[in-house]
Amino acid sequence: MNKFLGCSLIGLCFFGMNSVASTLELKPENTQFIAKAAKYNVSQRNWDQAANAAVTFPQAYQFTPHIEILPIQHSWAQSWRGSLVNLLELTASDLDGEHSLEVLLRDRLNNHSMVVVQKGKLLHQHFFNGFDANQTHLQMSVTKSFVAILAAISVAEGKLDMSQRLIHYLPELTQSGFEDVTVQEVADMRSGIGVAVADGKSWDPRMSAVQDWNGHSNDAEFENILDYANELENYRPIGKVYDYLDINTEVLAKVVERVQGKPLAEVFANKLWHRLGVEQPARWMANRQGELVASGGLNISTRDLARVGQVLVNKGKNLAGEQVVPAAFIDSLLQGNDQVRHAWQQGKEASLAKGWYQDQFRTLYLSSHTGETYKVLAMVGIHGQVLIMEPESQTVITMNSGFAEMQSTRMARLIFNQLVPAILDKVLAVEVNDK
């Protein structure tokens, strides 16, 4: 038996004991690949550095333990072929004037791929930089939205109450900074919790050590994520400020595991991944115990990410008509509330776009040069990972990239103020002509 299929502290012992779990396997880091990467001065310690992102993000799962979740074939699943519209010919602005989207994406944003779908019809797909349609790609913080979807499914099943205090589900965090926080405030990044962020990163290296993100360290300060979370304290008023921190997603994932009574990977496979009609496996990075990196470790293909968006713009239903994601959850994201609107105004992203952050999703208002304003749902990850959904036209735009800066205002402005509005303008024009 593979030693990574044995029992662990989080319950991996039942992997392989039923039809769902048999599609899951915890795999170690790929030592042969790591040895090859070392010849190019890329290692477990530096694979995630900005200078390496363009080449490592399609291979990120190779550097760490990960759970591979195989797809399940469905007769109703689509296999998209060809593109109907060449969106790379469109133009948008950069500081030096108008350029084609091909130049802006490929040469200035280190884009690896883009897939655009409307009402289930593939409009456009391209793959740059040696990347192809069958490869998975590190989605970084796009991963967070998947955790929220699993929480929403738990709510719809009557297993989770988002208004409850977090410690109702995770009593081990009593007397930590999370003691007086609700699950909803955690999901909205309004917990008020504080962390020691490392220079050049948006996370605490102590948490990275627990996750084996840069290889296993015998000097890790904590045994698991909850041990780490238990050491954190508040430094902002609870519920008042949108402050984007990975640990909020990590503890939300633990709540999902607790109420479902299963590891997150199995919940993801059973409740979501196997119901989407995906083509490729998902590879979710983990530590050697099998504890998933819930805040940023999911590797899936760009086309399969577009399938997720297709379900969300279809009111949560897959192509077989099954309700996969609760419609009430999607409606709530698009409606927002006074609390998340106020919290957004206190955060650093308010200067980029009008909107709010709720349940690990952004809802944004984007304006185009034609005068159109689009209300979109966004799943966003650093270095250029994006899933944009415009529900009114049922348009899905997904991009994967290796932009050589982690959190870049310039990158955000190019994508959200220039490229996405230009694409939506074109899609709307195509839809009108089709009528």
Side-chain angles (χ1 to χ4, degrees), residues 23 68-74 273-274 277-282 304:
T23 65
E68 184 171 77
I69 306 160
L70 299 177
I72 289 181
Q73 301 301 316
H74 296 283
W273 195 244
H274 289 162
V278 296
E279 297 174 313
Q280 305 301 328
D304 284 340

Side-chain angles (χ1 to χ4, degrees), residues 284-327:
W284 203 325
M285 294 153 72
N287 63 18
R288 59 197 55 227
Q289 291 180 312
E291 191 175 32
L292 295 184
V293 181
S295 55
L298 185 61
N299 294 248
I300 62 177
S301 76
T302 314
R303 284 160 58 101
D304 284 340
L305 184 57
R307 288 179 169 87
V308 176
Q310 184 173 310
V311 166
L312 291 172
V313 298
N314 192 34
K315 301 184 184 300
K317 292 183 178 181
N318 65 16
L319 292 177
E322 301 167 336
Q323 194 73 46
V324 179
V325 180

Side-chain angles (χ1 to χ4, degrees), residues 116 145 174 193 229 248 292 338 389 408 417:
V116 179
S145 304
T174 301
I193 211 71
N248 288 308
L292 295 184
D338 290 342
M389 295 150 282
S408 168
N417 298 147

